[in-house]
Amino acid sequence: MTHILWDSFQPATALAGGVLIGVASAILIVMIGRIAGISGILGTLMQRDAWAHHFAWGWRVAFLGGLLASPLVYQLFAPLPAIELPDNPRLIVLAGLLVGFGTRLGSGCTSGHGVCGLSRLSPRSLAATLTFMFFGALTVFVMRHVLN
Amino acid sequence: MLSILFALLAGLVFGLGLILSGMGNPAKVQNFLDFFGTWDPSLALVMVGAIAVGLVAFAWARRRKTALLGEPMQLPTATKIDTRLLLGAAMFGIGWGIAGFCPGPALMNLLTFHKEVTIFVISMIVGMLLQHTWARK
């Protein structure tokens, strides 16, 4: 039975944060014609080809630099929200490996397929998004309600 | 040079959006994915907000050959829904469910120096490199 967490449901900040993510993706595509897909940006930098041309690595490194700096900037105005992860390091390693391998194999993650792909009305990205949402929900269901 | 500055700005705004929205906290993401338990619907609104802006930007981009700063418009051309796409998305979904982290929030949190975040990011990079090696065979 679904129990909605009304106490932690924050519609205003969720929507505002989403708009900022949309604005960031819009800046990238409108100004420099590139897709804000985080796994693609990071993964491409792990390949030699990206370093052959200075624009190809330059915008990616700059984007990641901005992303890494964001909590430091946020901290100037408000305290950072808590981060809660599973306390089993082996689970974190497994999750990281699956996320890294899976996003490269499937050519995208929540940002590339979920935000940019759905905004482009791409059926391929819709298929990917429904798939990772389904398996994400299934995994949480099994971990929380079957195993535990 | 100007394009590098805009990429930096985009990364910064993206990260601020993740923090503000709550996507930066894995436990909140897992509550969003917990449809049959304690469900936190907040993150559906993150998608609504992001896509509302994205729809306008990409509708404009589709009609252009070059972006405003002169770079060629590089929209994805792949359309095939194949095993590779679905298998990759499924693996990603399972990892996302286990830890509550997808690549953006994980990287965004890297400089907060939580040990768990560092472990996740290193594992994710190893996963990417394994995929690249495997794909080359």
Side-chain angles (χ1 to χ4, degrees):
Chain A
M1 191 52 202
T2 305
H3 170 75
I4 297 183
L5 289 172
W6 290 111
D7 292 345
S8 49
F9 180 48
Q10 290 145 338
T13 49
L15 197 62
V19 166
L20 284 184
I21 293 170
V23 167
S25 310
I27 292 173
L28 214 55
I29 196 70
V30 168
M31 300 310 290
I32 69 171
R34 297 299 191 276
I35 297 279
I38 311 297
S39 59
I41 291 174
L42 179 65
T44 305
L45 287 177
M46 302 287 152
Q47 292 169 310
R48 202 170 298 144
D49 312 358
W51 298 90
H53 179 54
H54 70 275
F55 179 73
W57 63 263
W59 78 266
R60 290 184 171 92
V61 169
F63 182 91
L64 292 182
L67 184 65
L68 289 178
S70 63
L72 312 175
V73 174
Y74 188 92
Q75 247 176 353
L76 300 175
F77 303 95
L80 284 172
I83 311 171
E84 302 145 271
L85 274 156
D87 45 20
N88 181 346
R90 266 179 287 188
L91 272 185
I92 298 181
V93 170
L94 175 66
L97 289 172
L98 283 167
V99 169
F101 197 100
T103 51
R104 293 306 283 157
L105 183 65
S107 316
C109 56
T110 344
S111 50
H113 282 312
V115 174
C116 296
L118 294 188
S119 295
R120 291 190 298 113
L121 307 173
S122 152
R124 179 176 145 89
S125 286
L126 178 64
T129 304
L130 290 175
T131 305
F132 63 67
M133 290 277 297
F134 173 79
F135 279 93
L138 183 70
T139 304
V140 170
F141 181 80
V142 170
M143 282 181 40
R144 284 191 175 177
H145 308 295
V146 180
L147 299 177
N148 208 346
Chain B
M1 191 57 215
L2 204 52
S3 51
I4 298 298
L5 280 177
F6 273 101
L8 181 78
L9 176 72
L12 180 66
V13 174
F14 197 100
L16 293 174
L18 287 176
I19 303 169
L20 187 65
S21 68
M23 283 285 290
N25 183 3
K28 195 170 169 73
V29 174
Q30 285 178 319
N31 280 335
F32 167 66
L33 290 171
D34 195 1
F35 294 102
F36 302 104
T38 48
W39 189 50
D40 178 350
S42 308
L43 298 189
L45 290 173
V46 181
M47 293 300 282
V48 170
I51 292 170
V53 179
L55 279 173
V56 180
F58 283 100
W60 179 88
R62 239 194 315 272
R63 297 195 306 264
R64 303 264 311 192
K65 282 204 167 61
T66 55
L68 284 185
L69 294 176
E71 288 296 324
M73 192 61 81
Q74 281 191 359
L75 291 169
T77 50
T79 53
K80 225 168 46 183
I81 299 171
D82 51 13
T83 320
R84 198 190 134 104
L85 177 84
L86 299 178
L87 187 65
M91 287 178 74
F92 163 45
I94 294 169
W96 192 34
I98 294 175
F101 252 161
C102 53
L107 283 177
M108 180 276 284
N109 277 310
L110 191 62
L111 295 187
T112 60
F113 300 109
H114 285 73
K115 193 180 73 192
E116 291 84 0
V117 177
T118 313
I119 297 174
F120 183 91
V121 170
I122 292 171
S123 311
M124 178 173 80
I125 289 173
V126 171
M128 289 180 163
L129 293 172
L130 283 173
Q131 198 279 328
H132 296 167
T133 313
W134 173 80
R136 233 176 278 130
K137 274 190 214 151

Coordinates of all heavy atoms in Angstrom, one line a residue, chain A residues 7-49:
Chain A
D7 N 5.2 15.0 4.4 CA 6.1 15.8 5.2 C 7.4 16.2 4.3 O 7.9 17.3 4.4 CB 6.6 15.1 6.5 CG 5.5 15.0 7.4 OD1 4.5 15.7 7.2 OD2 5.6 14.2 8.4
S8 N 7.9 15.3 3.5 CA 9.0 15.6 2.7 C 8.7 15.9 1.3 O 9.6 16.1 0.5 CB 10.0 14.4 2.8 OG 9.4 13.2 2.5
F9 N 7.4 16.0 1.0 CA 7.0 16.5 -0.4 C 7.2 18.0 -0.5 O 6.5 18.7 0.2 CB 5.5 16.1 -0.6 CG 5.0 16.5 -1.9 CD1 5.7 16.2 -3.1 CD2 3.8 17.1 -2.1 CE1 5.2 16.6 -4.3 CE2 3.3 17.4 -3.3 CZ 4.0 17.2 -4.4
Q10 N 8.1 18.4 -1.3 CA 8.4 19.8 -1.4 C 8.2 20.3 -2.9 O 9.1 20.3 -3.7 CB 9.9 20.1 -1.0 CG 10.0 19.9 0.5 CD 11.4 19.4 0.8 OE1 12.1 18.7 0.1 NE2 11.8 19.6 2.1
P11 N 6.9 20.5 -3.2 CA 6.6 20.8 -4.6 C 7.3 22.1 -5.2 O 7.8 22.1 -6.3 CB 5.1 20.9 -4.6 CG 4.7 21.1 -3.2 CD 5.7 20.5 -2.4
A12 N 7.4 23.1 -4.3 CA 7.9 24.4 -4.8 C 9.4 24.3 -5.2 O 9.8 24.7 -6.3 CB 7.6 25.5 -3.8
T13 N 10.2 23.8 -4.2 CA 11.6 23.7 -4.5 C 11.9 22.6 -5.6 O 12.9 22.8 -6.4 CB 12.4 23.4 -3.2 OG1 11.8 22.3 -2.6 CG2 12.5 24.6 -2.3
A14 N 11.1 21.6 -5.6 CA 11.3 20.5 -6.6 C 11.1 21.1 -8.0 O 11.9 21.0 -8.9 CB 10.4 19.4 -6.4
L15 N 10.0 21.9 -8.1 CA 9.7 22.5 -9.4 C 10.7 23.5 -9.8 O 11.2 23.6 -10.9 CB 8.3 23.1 -9.4 CG 7.6 23.5 -10.7 CD1 7.4 22.2 -11.5 CD2 6.3 24.2 -10.4
A16 N 11.1 24.4 -8.8 CA 12.1 25.4 -9.1 C 13.5 24.8 -9.5 O 14.2 25.3 -10.4 CB 12.3 26.3 -7.9
G17 N 13.9 23.7 -8.8 CA 15.1 23.1 -9.1 C 15.1 22.5 -10.5 O 16.0 22.5 -11.2
G18 N 13.9 21.9 -10.8 CA 13.7 21.3 -12.1 C 13.8 22.4 -13.2 O 14.5 22.2 -14.3
V19 N 13.3 23.5 -13.0 CA 13.4 24.6 -13.9 C 14.8 25.0 -14.1 O 15.3 25.2 -15.3 CB 12.5 25.9 -13.5 CG1 12.9 27.1 -14.3 CG2 11.0 25.6 -13.6
L20 N 15.6 25.1 -13.1 CA 17.0 25.4 -13.2 C 17.8 24.3 -14.0 O 18.6 24.7 -14.9 CB 17.7 25.5 -11.8 CG 17.5 26.7 -11.0 CD1 18.3 26.7 -9.7 CD2 17.8 28.0 -11.8
I21 N 17.4 23.1 -13.8 CA 18.1 22.0 -14.6 C 17.7 22.2 -16.1 O 18.5 22.1 -17.0 CB 17.6 20.6 -14.1 CG1 18.2 20.4 -12.7 CG2 18.0 19.5 -15.0 CD1 17.6 19.2 -12.0
G22 N 16.4 22.5 -16.3 CA 16.0 22.8 -17.7 C 16.7 24.0 -18.3 O 17.1 24.0 -19.5
V23 N 16.9 25.1 -17.5 CA 17.6 26.3 -18.0 C 19.0 25.9 -18.3 O 19.6 26.3 -19.4 CB 17.5 27.4 -16.9 CG1 18.5 28.5 -17.2 CG2 16.1 28.0 -16.8
A24 N 19.7 25.1 -17.5 CA 21.1 24.7 -17.8 C 21.2 23.9 -19.1 O 22.0 24.2 -19.9 CB 21.6 23.8 -16.6
S25 N 20.2 23.0 -19.3 CA 20.2 22.2 -20.6 C 19.9 23.2 -21.7 O 20.5 23.0 -22.8 CB 19.1 21.1 -20.5 OG 19.3 20.4 -19.3
A26 N 19.1 24.2 -21.5 CA 18.7 25.1 -22.6 C 20.0 26.0 -22.9 O 20.3 26.2 -24.1 CB 17.6 26.0 -22.1
I27 N 20.7 26.4 -21.9 CA 21.9 27.2 -22.2 C 22.9 26.4 -23.1 O 23.4 27.0 -24.1 CB 22.6 27.6 -20.8 CG1 21.8 28.6 -20.0 CG2 24.0 28.2 -21.1 CD1 22.4 28.8 -18.6
L28 N 23.1 25.2 -22.7 CA 24.0 24.3 -23.5 C 23.6 24.1 -24.9 O 24.4 24.3 -25.8 CB 24.2 23.0 -22.7 CG 25.6 22.4 -22.8 CD1 26.7 23.4 -22.3 CD2 25.7 21.1 -22.0
I29 N 22.4 23.8 -25.1 CA 21.9 23.5 -26.5 C 21.8 24.8 -27.3 O 22.2 24.9 -28.5 CB 20.6 22.7 -26.6 CG1 20.4 22.1 -28.0 CG2 19.4 23.5 -26.2 CD1 21.4 21.0 -28.3
V30 N 21.3 25.9 -26.7 CA 21.1 27.1 -27.5 C 22.4 27.9 -27.7 O 22.6 28.3 -28.9 CB 20.1 28.1 -26.7 CG1 20.1 29.5 -27.2 CG2 18.7 27.5 -26.7
M31 N 23.3 27.9 -26.8 CA 24.5 28.7 -26.9 C 25.6 27.9 -27.7 O 26.3 28.4 -28.6 CB 25.1 29.1 -25.6 CG 24.2 30.0 -24.8 SD 23.5 31.4 -25.7 CE 25.0 32.5 -25.9
I32 N 25.8 26.6 -27.3 CA 26.9 25.9 -28.0 C 26.5 24.6 -28.7 O 27.3 23.9 -29.2 CB 28.1 25.6 -27.0 CG1 27.7 24.6 -26.0 CG2 28.5 26.9 -26.3 CD1 28.9 24.1 -25.1
G33 N 25.1 24.3 -28.7 CA 24.7 23.2 -29.6 C 25.0 21.8 -29.0 O 25.1 20.9 -29.8
R34 N 25.1 21.7 -27.7 CA 25.5 20.4 -27.2 C 24.4 19.9 -26.2 O 23.7 20.7 -25.5 CB 26.9 20.4 -26.5 CG 28.0 20.7 -27.5 CD 28.1 19.6 -28.5 NE 29.3 19.7 -29.3 CZ 29.5 20.5 -30.4 NH1 28.5 21.3 -30.8 NH2 30.6 20.6 -31.0
I35 N 24.3 18.6 -26.0 CA 23.4 18.0 -25.1 C 23.9 17.9 -23.7 O 25.1 17.4 -23.5 CB 23.0 16.6 -25.6 CG1 22.3 16.6 -26.9 CG2 22.1 15.8 -24.5 CD1 20.9 17.0 -26.9
A36 N 23.2 18.3 -22.7 CA 23.6 18.2 -21.3 C 23.3 16.8 -20.7 O 22.4 16.6 -19.9 CB 22.9 19.2 -20.4
G37 N 24.1 15.8 -21.2 CA 23.9 14.4 -20.7 C 25.2 14.1 -19.8 O 26.3 14.1 -20.4
I38 N 25.0 14.0 -18.5 CA 26.2 13.9 -17.6 C 27.0 12.7 -17.9 O 28.2 12.7 -18.0 CB 25.7 13.9 -16.2 CG1 24.7 15.0 -15.9 CG2 26.9 14.0 -15.3 CD1 25.3 16.4 -16.1
S39 N 26.3 11.5 -18.1 CA 27.1 10.3 -18.3 C 27.9 10.4 -19.7 O 29.1 9.9 -19.8 CB 26.3 9.0 -18.3 OG 25.3 9.1 -19.3
G40 N 27.3 11.0 -20.7 CA 28.0 11.2 -22.0 C 29.2 12.1 -21.9 O 30.2 11.9 -22.4
I41 N 29.0 13.2 -21.1 CA 30.0 14.2 -20.9 C 31.2 13.6 -20.2 O 32.4 13.7 -20.6 CB 29.5 15.5 -20.2 CG1 28.5 16.2 -21.1 CG2 30.6 16.4 -19.7 CD1 27.8 17.4 -20.4
L42 N 30.9 12.9 -19.1 CA 32.0 12.3 -18.3 C 32.7 11.1 -19.1 O 33.9 11.0 -19.2 CB 31.5 11.8 -17.0 CG 32.5 11.1 -16.1 CD1 33.6 12.1 -15.6 CD2 31.8 10.5 -14.8
G43 N 31.8 10.3 -19.7 CA 32.3 9.1 -20.4 C 33.2 9.5 -21.6 O 34.2 8.8 -21.8
T44 N 32.8 10.5 -22.3 CA 33.6 10.9 -23.5 C 34.9 11.4 -23.1 O 35.9 11.1 -23.8 CB 32.8 12.1 -24.3 OG1 31.5 11.6 -24.6 CG2 33.5 12.4 -25.5
L45 N 35.0 12.1 -21.9 CA 36.3 12.5 -21.4 C 37.2 11.3 -21.1 O 38.5 11.5 -20.9 CB 36.2 13.5 -20.2 CG 35.6 14.9 -20.6 CD1 35.4 15.7 -19.3 CD2 36.6 15.6 -21.5
M46 N 36.6 10.2 -20.9 CA 37.4 9.0 -20.5 C 38.0 8.3 -21.8 O 38.6 7.3 -21.7 CB 36.6 7.9 -19.8 CG 35.9 8.4 -18.6 SD 37.1 8.5 -17.3 CE 36.4 9.8 -16.3
Q47 N 37.7 8.9 -23.0 CA 38.1 8.3 -24.2 C 39.1 9.2 -24.9 O 39.0 10.5 -24.8 CB 36.9 8.0 -25.2 CG 36.0 6.9 -24.6 CD 34.7 6.8 -25.4 OE1 34.0 7.8 -25.6 NE2 34.4 5.6 -25.8
R48 N 40.1 8.7 -25.6 CA 41.2 9.5 -26.2 C 40.7 10.5 -27.2 O 41.2 11.6 -27.2 CB 42.3 8.5 -26.8 CG 43.6 9.2 -26.9 CD 44.7 8.2 -27.2 NE 44.8 7.2 -26.2 CZ 45.1 5.9 -26.5 NH1 45.3 5.5 -27.7 NH2 45.3 5.0 -25.5
D49 N 39.7 10.1 -28.0 CA 39.3 11.0 -29.1 C 38.9 12.4 -28.6 O 39.1 13.3 -29.4 CB 38.0 10.4 -29.8 CG 38.2 8.9 -30.1 OD1 39.3 8.4 -29.9 OD2 37.2 8.3 -30.6

